[in-house]
């Protein structure tokens, strides 16, 4: 949460101008600063991370079958369903929790048009493996990078990988605008189309395409403007907190893959219980002390009750990880003595089996 005083100073300008939304000066300034930070001009800011996926799918004319991960937040799958695409699940790598390229290739049919992969906890997928498959079968490669702001792969922002990528600026993310998101597009020719799609499909009174309201307001843009200058400090602090957890918890429950070329943004702190019963015991013990962990991500998305019958299900690795994973509290103002308390509770349950 940024400084309230800083927010009020910016908000005063907005109230005096009465320009509350519709690509106002605060959003334009955030747009400029974000492009500088991410090192790309092919960025469009939108109102949230879910609409970002939907707009990008529509802009890239993705249809029919899309191979995707069962291990992600529900928006990855729901955006496909909203856009009338058929999610085809490929199971995950048990080490990184990201989609497994080998399993992706096994899912390709004549109806496959794209791959939608998630950078789980900011971790890069097997980028080169997925790129090779996409090129070999002439598929679009899209990354749901909702959790990856500040993360890099081979010195490049994870938010700018693939033919397109989306991010979330939700309040729970490393960089937040309370609600918001962004779209990256490799092809600069998509910029005008994406701008139209996020603004009802029209400019002034001239209508061009079927669009939707994906615009960010000035008040949300202010949040971004006053958080972004602190992003390096935020990530550095989260790194220290992550290392504090590492020092206190048993190695066998920590999910901490070593991915060559990855610069971590320390967005989450996942651990793996022995089984679902042990995880539920962990949750209960933590909640008893007014500590709220999260089952990021649960359920495995191939188990969603409203999937069409045509969707393939039963992804064993994803189902197993989703039944055991637990993300412990990790945020800028978390204190070391609180990490001590959390870690002691976790170790007690783990040791008791």
């Amino acid at each position: 949460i940024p400084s309230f005083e800083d927010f009020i100073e910016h908000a005063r300008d907005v109230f005096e101008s009465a320009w509350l939304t519709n690509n106002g000066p605060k959003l334009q300034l955030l747009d400029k600063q974000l492009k500088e930070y991410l090192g790309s001009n092919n960025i469009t800011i939108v109102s949230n991370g879910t609409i970002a996926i939907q707009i990008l799918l529509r802009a890239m004319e993705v249809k029919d079958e899309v191979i995707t991960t069962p291990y992600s937040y529900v928006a990855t799958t729901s955006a496909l369903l909203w856009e009338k695409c058929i999610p085809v699940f490929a199971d995950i790598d048990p080490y990184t929790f990201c989609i497994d390229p080998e399993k992706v290739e096994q899912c390709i049919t004549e109806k496959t048009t794209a791959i939608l992969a998630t950078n789980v906890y900011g971790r890069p997928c097997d980028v080169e493996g997925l790129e090779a498959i996409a090129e070999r079968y002439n598929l679009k490669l899209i990354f749901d990078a909702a959790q990856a702001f500040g993360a890099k792969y081979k010195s490049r922002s994870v938010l700018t990988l693939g033919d397109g990528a989306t991010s979330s600026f939700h309040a729970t993310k490393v960089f937040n605008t309370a609600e918001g998101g962004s779209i990256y597009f490799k092809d600069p020719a998509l910029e005008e189309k994406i701008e139209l799609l996020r603004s009802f499909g029209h400019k002034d009174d001239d209508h061009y395409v079927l669009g939707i309201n994906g615009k960010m307001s000035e008040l949300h843009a202010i949040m971004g403007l006053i958080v972004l200058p602190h992003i390096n400090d935020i990530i550095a602090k989260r790194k220290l907190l992550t290392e504090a957890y590492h020092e206190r918890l048993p190695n066998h429950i920590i999910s901490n893959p070593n991915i060559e070329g990855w610069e971590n943004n320390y967005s989450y702190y996942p651990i793996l219980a022995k089984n679902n019963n042990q995880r539920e015991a962990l949750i209960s013990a933590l909640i008893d002390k007014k500590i709220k962990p999260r089952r990021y991500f649960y359920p495995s998305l191939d188990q969603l009750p409203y999937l069409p019958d045509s969707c393939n299900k039963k992804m064993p690795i994803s189902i197993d990880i989703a039944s055991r994973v637990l993300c412990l509290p990790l945020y800028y103002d978390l204190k070391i003595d609180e990490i001590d308390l959390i870690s002691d509770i976790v170790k007690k349950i783990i040791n008791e089996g």
Side-chain angles (χ1 to χ4, degrees):
I1 301 293
S3 161
F4 181 69
E5 290 72 23
D6 289 347
F7 184 88
I8 290 299
E9 281 304 305
H10 278 278
R12 198 181 311 280
D13 299 338
V14 174
F15 275 67
E16 288 176 355
S17 70
W19 193 346
L20 301 179
T21 188
N22 283 348
N23 203 33
K26 300 296 182 183
L27 178 57
Q28 292 177 41
L29 181 57
L30 178 60
D31 180 84
K32 178 176 181 292
Q33 292 183 4
L34 198 62
K35 287 173 177 175
E36 291 174 354
Y37 177 80
L38 297 176
S40 173
N41 286 322
N42 297 350
I43 303 288
T44 297
I45 297 173
V46 292
S47 54
N48 62 69
T50 306
I51 205 73
I53 304 174
Q54 292 179 232
I55 290 174
L56 184 57
L57 292 170
R58 185 67 63 98
M60 297 180 71
E61 299 180 3
V62 173
K63 57 185 179 179
D64 295 332
E65 294 180 357
V66 177
I67 300 173
T68 190
T69 176
Y71 192 76
S72 181
Y73 184 61
V74 67
T76 312
T77 294
S78 61
L80 288 170
L81 293 172
W82 272 98
E83 292 304 310
K84 307 300 182 185
C85 297
I86 301 169
V88 176
F89 296 105
D91 215 343
I92 60 174
D93 181 312
Y95 183 60
T96 67
F97 303 168
C98 295
I99 198 168
D100 184 338
E102 183 177 330
K103 293 185 173 65
V104 167
E105 192 157 21
Q106 294 169 2
C107 293
I108 295 172
T109 73
E110 60 184 14
K111 293 183 178 180
T112 306
T113 61
I115 301 166
L116 174 57
T118 296
N119 305 114
V120 177
Y121 310 136
R123 303 166 181 176
C125 303
D126 181 348
V127 177
E128 289 81 8
L130 292 174
E131 285 177 338
I133 292 170
E135 184 176 353
R136 188 155 58 245
Y137 293 94
N138 193 29
L139 304 175
K140 298 176 177 69
L141 177 57
I142 300 170
F143 288 106
D144 178 349
Q147 307 150 40
F149 194 96
K152 293 183 179 181
Y153 179 64
K154 295 185 176 179
S155 301
R156 181 177 170 184
S157 170
V158 173
L159 274 62
T160 61
L161 299 174
D163 297 310
T166 62
S167 185
S168 170
F169 303 155
H170 185 265
T172 58
K173 300 299 188 288
V174 171
F175 168 74
N176 89 92
T177 59
E179 287 279 8
S182 71
I183 300 169
Y184 162 75
F185 41 95
K186 184 177 181 180
D187 182 2
L190 286 176
E191 180 175 15
E192 185 176 5
K193 190 173 184 180
I194 288 172
E195 291 282 355
L196 280 170
L197 286 170
R198 77 163 181 176
S199 304
F200 299 101
H202 71 82
K203 287 183 179 179
D204 299 321
D205 293 331
D206 296 318
H207 294 252
Y208 300 94
V209 296
L210 173 64
I212 198 166
N213 184 6
K215 303 187 303 296
M216 176 180 282
S217 79
E218 289 291 87
L219 298 179
H220 290 88
I222 288 172
M223 287 289 285
L225 285 171
I226 55 181
V227 171
L228 190 57
H230 302 284
I231 194 64
N232 291 336
D233 177 51
I234 290 169
I235 293 173
K237 177 66 178 297
R238 297 176 77 98
K239 179 182 179 182
L240 289 174
L241 297 170
T242 295
E243 290 170 346
Y245 271 129
H246 284 351
E247 292 169 0
R248 289 158 175 78
L249 293 175
N251 285 334
H252 70 279
I253 68 168
I254 297 171
S255 172
N256 183 38
N258 181 20
I259 303 172
E260 187 176 353
W262 174 40
E263 295 178 40
N264 197 348
N265 66 341
Y266 306 97
S267 53
Y268 294 87
Y269 196 84
I271 61 171
L272 278 178
K274 182 178 180 180
N275 50 45
N276 183 62
N277 287 340
Q278 189 177 73
R279 181 183 61 179
E280 296 309 302
L282 284 166
I283 292 172
S284 178
L286 289 164
I287 288 177
D288 280 348
K289 297 294 184 182
K290 303 190 185 304
I291 299 163
K292 182 64 186 290
R294 295 296 301 272
R295 292 185 291 185
Y296 281 138
F297 294 99
Y298 180 84
S300 180
L301 298 180
D302 59 300
Q303 303 298 294
L304 291 171
Y306 47 78
L307 289 172
D309 292 338
S310 58
C311 286
N312 58 330
K313 301 180 181 180
K314 296 185 179 178
M315 301 288 112
I317 300 174
S318 178
I319 290 171
D320 173 58
I321 298 298
S323 72
R324 297 191 291 129
V325 74
L326 192 66
C327 284
L328 301 180
L330 181 62
Y331 54 96
Y332 185 85
D333 293 321
L334 185 65
K335 297 176 176 59
I336 295 298
D337 62 344
E338 292 169 329
I339 290 180
D340 287 334
L341 173 61
I342 294 166
S343 300
D344 286 346
I345 294 169
V346 170
K347 285 187 289 188
K348 182 175 186 296
I349 297 296
I350 295 293
N351 290 336
E352 288 176 353

